[in-house]
Amino acid sequence: MAGEISRVRLLIHDPAGDSQVFSDDDIEATLAEHEISDGEYDVYGAAAELLEMWAAREKLNFDFSADGAQYQRSQKVEMLLQLAAQYRRRQRPRMIPQVRGDLA
């Protein structure tokens, strides 16, 4: 699992250390939600989900200007969501069984 956690960290550019956004436990839990089979995980699906969570957290920041300079933190949200969309296109498709209730 450590290899997958490191790969997801590289994909979302969240290096481990003091400034990390997600803990290893957070990443491991997200990977577990994207388990394909025993020991195989969809790292792109997990990375996309984490990027969307990160964008939601950053959404609480605001743009401001100071001393004649403009600071647009909203750009970060846009870039995180663009990268998440890119990874969503690379994630593995999931099969969901459906059962019709109107058939006898």
Side-chain angles (χ1 to χ4, degrees):
M1 179 66 82
E4 285 85 4
I5 291 172
S6 296
R7 183 148 184 234
V8 170
R9 283 198 181 281
L10 287 172
L11 287 171
I12 65 174
H13 191 65
D14 183 26
D18 294 337
S19 63
Q20 72 186 25
V21 175
F22 298 105
S23 69
D24 286 351
D25 292 337
D26 294 336
I27 296 173
E28 186 174 349
T30 306
L31 279 166
E33 292 174 8
H34 293 273
E35 186 172 14
I36 298 165
S37 62
D38 290 339
E40 188 177 357
Y41 302 92
D42 181 7
V43 292
Y44 289 107
E49 189 169 328
L50 288 164
L51 285 167
E52 289 166 352
M53 286 186 232
W54 192 351
R57 187 180 303 172
E58 291 294 326
K59 189 88 170 170
L60 300 175
N61 289 330
F62 50 87
D63 297 341
F64 67 96
S65 61
D67 298 328
Q70 296 258 345
Y71 300 93
Q72 296 182 338
R73 294 180 174 174
S74 59
Q75 281 182 317
K76 187 172 186 178
V77 173
E78 292 171 26
M79 296 302 116
L80 288 168
L81 291 176
Q82 282 182 14
L83 188 57
Q86 180 180 342
Y87 290 157
R88 287 280 180 214
R89 290 189 295 271
R90 295 184 75 180
Q91 80 180 41
R92 290 194 175 183
R94 294 180 127 182
M95 293 184 47
I96 301 172
Q98 295 182 347
V99 179
R100 289 185 58 173
D102 61 337
L103 295 177

